[in-house]
Amino acid sequence: MKKPIFKWIYLAFTALLAVLVLVALLYVRGLLADYEAARPERQAELAMELLAKETKESDYWKKFDLPQVDAQTKAQFIALCQSEDLNYIAQTGRFAEDEMGYIIRKGSFPLAEVLLKAKGPAETKLAVFTTREWAVEKVVPLLEKREYTATLPEGFKLWADGKELKAKPQGGTGKFTLAGVYLEPQFKVTSADGTEVGHTIKNFRVIPDIYEYSLTLPAAIKVEVDGEGMEGALLQSGRMRYDILRLKKPTVILSDLYGNQEIYDGKSDLPLTHKTLRTPAGFTVTLEGKAVAGAEEIAPEYEILEGLVKDLPKQVCYEIAILKADAAIAVADGEGKAVALDKGLSEWDLTTPISKEKEVPKEIAAQVNVLQVAQNWSLFMSNDRTFTQMAAQMLPDSYQYEVAKKYSTSIDKQFFASHSLLSPAFTENKVSNFQRITPDCFSVEVQFVKHMRLTNGGKLVDDAMNDRFYFVRSGDRWLLAGLKEVAEDGE
C-alpha cells in the first residue's frame, strides 16, 4: 500500500514544480517584454515614425517655425524625413537626470532632435532588470544652413550637385568649403587623373576613400610600393620623407641593409632601431652580434681646422638603421674591452681629445696670452682694434682670418654704435676647459664681459662673450684660427 501512495505524491510534486517553473518562465518573459518596451531606444524609433507623420500636416512649416526655403528644398527635406531607412544616435550632455536626447538622421545627415522625458522613477526587478518608462516629449526638425569642408590631395577635384568647387591651396593639399546649404549635396570626388573616388561624409566633412601614408625614415631604409622602389624627399635632419597616395590599398614593403623586411599598413608602429655612434678609429661596433662598418670622418668640431692642421683626430661614424625594435648594439675599444652605452639615447659620441685640462698649461701660457687674444677679437668686432692689429694674432688663410677680413670691409662694421670703453673694460674674466687637439693645435674656453658707454645718449652696454677659441702653432707662435660660441648648458 505504501508504494502507490509514494508514487502519487511524487507525481503531484513533479507537477507542482512544472507549474512553478512555467509561472517563473512566463514572469521572466513578461519582464523581458516590459524591459524591451521600456528601452529609450524604442521611443527614439517611435519618434522617427512621429517625424514622418507630422511632415504630412499642412501647417508643419509654421508649427516648427522652419526657415523659408524654396519649394524644391522644402519637398526634399520632407522626403528625407519620410524615408524608411532613417537612423538615430544618442546625444550626450546638457540633459537633466530624467531626460534623454537623440538625433534622427538620414545616413549621417541630421534631420530632427528628439527629447525624451522619464514618466517615473527607475524600477529594479529580480535584482538585474532595471527599467524606466520613457515618453517622447518633443521632436524638433533641424533645418538650418550648414558648411561642408574637404581637404583633398593636390590635384583632386570636388563637385557638389554637379558644380565644381574651387580649392584653396594649403601645403600640398586643396581645402574646399561649401557654406550656406540646407541639405546635403551630392558630392563627387575625382583624383588628379580624373578617376572618380569614393567618399564618406562625417560631421559635414567630405572624406575621400584613399590610402595616404606619410613615412619619415632613416636614409638606409628602402621603400617599395606595389613592387617598385620609391624615392623619398631628403630632409634637413638627413632622414627621408615618403608620401604615398593610392586609390587602392598599396603593398608597402620596407627593407634594411641587414636583410630584414616589414610590410607597412599605415597603422601599426614600425619595429625600428635608429642610432648614431661616433667612436675613435680602432673601435668595433656590433649589431645583433655582427660587426658593422662605419664611415671615417673628421669630428665636426674640428672642421674649421681642416687643411690647416695635420693629423686631426679622426672618428668613425656609425649610422645604424635596422627594422627591429631594441636591437642589440655593442661597442668595444681598440683593446677589445666593452664600452658602456647610456640607455635611452639615440646618439652616442665616444670620441675624446688627447687631453682635457682646466687651465692652459704653463708652457703654452708662456707663449700666448689666450685671454688677451680673445679680448682683442672682441675689441676688433666693436671697432676698437684695426684689422691689421688683429691679423697679427691670427693664422693666415684660416676660417677666422677670412671672417675678420670680410668684416673689416663690411657695412656692418660701419653701423656699430660709437662708444667709449669703461675702466676696466673687461670683467668676469675666465679661461677654462683647455683641450689639446694635436701637438700643434689646442682649444680653450674664454669668458668675459666687455663694458661700453654709447656716445649718443650715454647708455651703458655690457657685451658678454663665452666662446671656444682654437689656436694653431705656426713656427714658434700660437695663432688664432677659429672660434665657436659655447652653448649655455655646456659644450
Side-chain angles (χ1 to χ4, degrees):
M1 294 296 293
K2 293 182 179 180
K3 289 184 177 180
I5 294 175
F6 175 77
K7 178 179 180 182
W8 286 110
I9 292 174
Y10 176 77
L11 291 174
F13 180 73
T14 302
L16 178 60
L17 285 179
V19 171
L20 291 176
V21 170
L22 178 61
V23 170
L25 289 175
L26 292 174
Y27 180 71
V28 172
R29 180 180 178 183
L31 283 181
L32 290 173
D34 292 342
Y35 180 79
E36 180 67 21
R39 287 189 313 114
E41 290 85 354
R42 176 55 184 157
Q43 297 302 316
E45 294 168 0
L46 294 175
M48 291 193 298
E49 298 174 6
L50 182 61
L51 175 65
K53 179 180 178 181
E54 288 186 337
T55 56
K56 298 177 181 179
E57 299 179 8
S58 59
D59 61 345
Y60 177 76
W61 226 253
K62 294 181 180 179
K63 177 180 178 180
F64 293 101
D65 192 26
L66 296 178
Q68 295 302 312
V69 295
D70 58 79
Q72 182 180 1
T73 301
K74 183 183 293 188
Q76 290 176 340
F77 181 73
I78 290 175
L80 289 173
C81 293
Q82 295 176 354
S83 300
E84 295 182 356
D85 58 345
L86 299 183
N87 64 83
Y88 57 86
I89 185 173
Q91 290 181 286
T92 57
R94 73 179 183 84
F95 294 107
E97 187 274 335
D98 62 343
E99 293 179 341
M100 294 186 69
Y102 287 86
I103 294 293
I104 298 176
R105 308 182 304 176
K106 168 71 172 179
S108 63
F109 183 75
L111 294 172
E113 185 178 47
V114 179
L115 177 65
L116 303 185
K117 196 83 170 179
K119 297 179 68 176
E123 295 182 1
T124 301
K125 297 179 181 180
L126 291 182
V128 294
F129 292 101
T130 300
T131 62
R132 191 173 193 180
E133 190 174 359
W134 295 90
V136 177
E137 181 74 7
K138 59 181 177 179
V139 179
V140 181
L142 300 175
L143 184 62
E144 56 191 53
K145 289 184 177 180
R146 305 183 186 277
E147 179 177 284
Y148 288 83
T149 62
T151 301
L152 305 178
E154 187 176 8
F156 276 49
K157 295 181 179 181
L158 178 66
W159 279 263
D161 291 333
K163 182 179 179 181
E164 184 179 350
L165 304 182
K166 297 299 182 182
K168 181 180 180 181
Q170 192 177 67
T173 63
K175 178 69 177 293
F176 297 83
T177 301
L178 179 63
V181 292
Y182 285 102
L183 303 179
E184 185 173 284
Q186 290 292 320
F187 288 105
K188 184 176 81 168
V189 179
T190 60
S191 64
D193 63 2
T195 302
E196 187 167 350
V197 179
H199 66 275
T200 56
I201 298 174
K202 185 176 182 180
N203 297 328
F204 307 105
R205 291 177 56 238
V206 182
I207 304 171
D209 299 336
I210 59 176
Y211 294 87
E212 191 171 12
Y213 305 153
S214 182
L215 286 166
T216 300
L217 299 168
I221 301 296
K222 302 304 178 186
V223 178
E224 185 180 277
V225 181
D226 292 335
E228 296 184 3
M230 183 176 184
E231 294 291 333
L234 180 62
L235 304 179
Q236 288 186 346
S237 64
R239 292 193 170 202
M240 304 295 289
R241 180 183 175 90
Y242 299 88
D243 293 312
I244 303 169
L245 175 64
R246 296 291 189 275
L247 302 184
K248 296 181 179 180
K249 186 173 183 178
T251 299
V252 181
I253 299 178
L254 311 181
S255 57
D256 60 26
L257 299 177
Y258 312 100
N260 302 299
Q261 286 191 338
E262 284 290 331
I263 297 178
Y264 181 67
D265 60 5
K267 299 178 182 179
S268 58
D269 293 333
L270 287 172
L272 176 66
T273 298
H274 182 211
K275 305 288 185 180
T276 301
L277 291 90
R278 290 184 172 85
T279 72
F283 277 44
T284 301
V285 176
T286 60
L287 175 64
E288 295 291 294
K290 297 181 179 180
V292 294
E296 192 175 66
E297 62 182 20
I298 294 175
E301 180 187 353
Y302 307 139
E303 287 178 352
I304 59 174
L305 303 175
E306 192 172 3
L308 303 174
V309 180
K310 294 181 179 180
D311 302 323
L312 281 173
K314 295 287 183 68
Q315 63 183 25
V316 182
C317 180
Y318 298 85
E319 190 78 20
I320 295 175
I322 181 172
L323 291 167
K324 185 174 182 179
D326 301 320
I329 300 173
V331 180
D333 63 17
E335 298 178 355
K337 296 179 181 179
V339 178
L341 298 175
D342 294 333
K343 295 181 179 180
L345 300 180
S346 60
E347 293 190 22
W348 293 281
D349 190 344
L350 306 180
T351 59
T352 57
I354 293 177
S355 67
K356 186 172 183 178
E357 306 173 32
K358 291 183 178 180
E359 299 179 353
V360 179
K362 292 181 180 180
E363 66 274 16
I364 292 180
Q367 296 175 318
V368 59
N369 186 335
V370 296
L371 176 61
Q372 185 63 63
V373 174
Q375 291 177 347
N376 284 342
W377 173 262
S378 177
L379 292 172
F380 168 67
M381 295 301 292
S382 58
N383 295 336
D384 294 297
R385 290 288 186 276
T386 66
F387 172 68
T388 300
Q389 291 173 315
M390 190 66 230
Q393 296 179 301
M394 303 181 71
L395 184 69
D397 299 325
S398 67
Y399 169 80
Q400 212 61 37
Y401 185 93
E402 294 302 323
V403 169
K405 185 176 181 181
K406 183 177 181 180
Y407 177 73
S408 68
T409 58
S410 72
I411 194 170
D412 294 336
K413 178 179 173 64
Q414 309 303 322
F415 280 102
F416 197 93
S418 177
H419 62 278
S420 59
L421 298 172
L422 301 186
S423 181
F426 297 96
T427 62
E428 302 178 42
N429 301 311
K430 183 179 179 182
V431 177
S432 61
N433 295 330
F434 173 89
Q435 292 184 9
R436 191 184 300 273
I437 301 170
T438 73
D440 294 318
C441 179
F442 72 85
S443 69
V444 65
E445 185 177 326
V446 181
Q447 302 175 41
F448 54 75
V449 178
K450 181 172 64 177
H451 306 284
M452 300 175 287
R453 184 189 302 276
L454 299 184
T455 302
N456 186 9
K459 181 180 178 181
L460 297 179
V461 176
D462 293 333
D463 181 23
M465 172 171 276
N466 182 12
D467 285 23
R468 176 164 291 279
F469 287 74
Y470 295 81
F471 288 84
V472 173
R473 191 202 307 268
S474 178
D476 58 353
R477 300 181 63 205
W478 289 99
L479 300 176
L480 178 63
L483 62 90
K484 289 182 179 181
E485 185 176 2
V486 176
E488 292 183 1
D489 57 351
E491 190 176 15

